[in-house]
Amino acid sequence: MKPLVVKLGGSTAGKAQMQRWIDALASAALPLVVVPGGGPFADQVRLAQKQLGISDDAAHAMAILAMDQFGIVLEERAARLQRARTEGEIRHVLAAGLVPVWLPSTMTIGAPDIACSWDVTSDSLAAWLARQLGAKSLLLIKQTDEHRHCSTVTDLADARIVDAMLPEMLARDTELYVAGPQALAKLNWPLATIPGHRIMRRRIAEEMGAR
């Protein structure tokens, strides 16, 4: 069974929702992989780039390392979470019945198919990992419910709810879901289904026209 890839947004860092999401993900009855956002660690990279004149290439690598840092924070919040850096480690953790928290630096820094740009955030990196794992579904956990006004992946990018590269990075056969505080309030434990709203790749009329 292919795992669900779940990106836990860095915007939840330090908020009560963060621990509630962690507890829910740690209870999951379905296999899943947690992708951490950059959170306050990525914010410090943005600040440092302005203050120190750091190149986009260097800032990109530092922002990915910020995801590693937030992942380490998440791991120690639940006994079932265990960090993993490679696809092999992810599969090993899953096989043990645990929940891998992906630290992306090993697989993504210097990867030729990942642009060194702030247009690529943890949203797109989660989509990239889903592609590597052959995952059929990707869940993005956000600190907002504004996604409920969006029908398509492009709508999400235009509203800046996700990064600009996500529509391109998301594999054609990967279903995208987005969940916010409202979904968290309705969760049943143990987590057995994907929470949030499914987002279409294109509007229905566009899908019909493409056939």
Side-chain angles (χ1 to χ4, degrees):
M1 184 177 179
K2 299 293 185 181
L4 166 68
V5 174
V6 182
K7 193 217 82 167
L8 181 56
S11 59
T12 64
K15 299 179 174 64
Q17 290 93 332
M18 183 185 80
Q19 189 61 49
R20 290 170 63 194
W21 275 118
I22 292 171
D23 292 341
L25 297 175
S27 79
L30 68 165
L32 59 84
V33 180
V34 176
V35 176
F41 306 103
D43 291 340
Q44 288 301 309
V45 174
R46 292 178 186 272
L47 181 61
Q49 185 177 29
K50 292 179 180 179
Q51 293 179 337
L52 304 176
I54 298 169
S55 69
D56 284 344
D57 284 1
H60 172 77
M62 293 168 67
I64 292 175
L65 290 168
M67 293 173 62
D68 281 9
Q69 291 178 298
F70 189 44
I72 292 170
V73 171
L74 298 181
E75 181 202 21
E76 71 170 8
R77 297 302 182 99
R80 196 175 172 215
L81 302 186
Q82 183 172 318
R83 73 184 75 170
R85 293 184 176 274
T86 66
E87 185 174 340
E89 289 180 3
I90 288 171
R91 298 194 185 283
H92 178 76
V93 174
L94 287 169
L98 302 175
V99 177
V101 178
W102 183 49
L103 306 188
S105 60
T106 297
M107 292 177 64
T108 61
I109 292 179
D113 56 343
I114 299 176
C116 296
S117 166
W118 284 109
D119 287 339
V120 176
T121 70
S122 54
D123 293 333
S124 282
L125 293 180
W128 183 88
L129 179 65
R131 188 188 295 266
Q132 306 306 306
L133 298 177
K136 298 303 181 184
S137 300
L138 168 64
L139 169 63
L140 303 179
I141 296 174
K142 299 286 184 177
Q143 188 63 17
T144 176
D145 287 307
E146 289 301 310
H147 63 276
R148 295 170 64 89
H149 304 296
C150 298
S151 299
T152 69
V153 179
T154 301
D155 291 340
L156 289 175
D158 289 345
R160 299 187 177 183
I161 296 170
V162 301
D163 66 55
M165 289 297 294
L166 183 65
E168 180 178 331
M169 296 283 275
L170 187 68
R172 285 185 173 274
D173 58 350
T174 300
E175 296 181 346
L176 178 66
Y177 295 80
V178 182
Q182 290 186 20
L184 178 60
K186 298 176 182 177
L187 283 185
N188 293 317
W189 295 9
L191 189 66
T193 58
I194 304 174
H197 289 76
R198 183 180 173 187
I199 305 295
M200 296 184 295
R201 185 170 293 278
R202 293 183 293 185
R203 290 181 175 82
I204 294 176
E206 294 173 347
E207 291 284 0
M208 295 295 290
R211 293 176 181 173

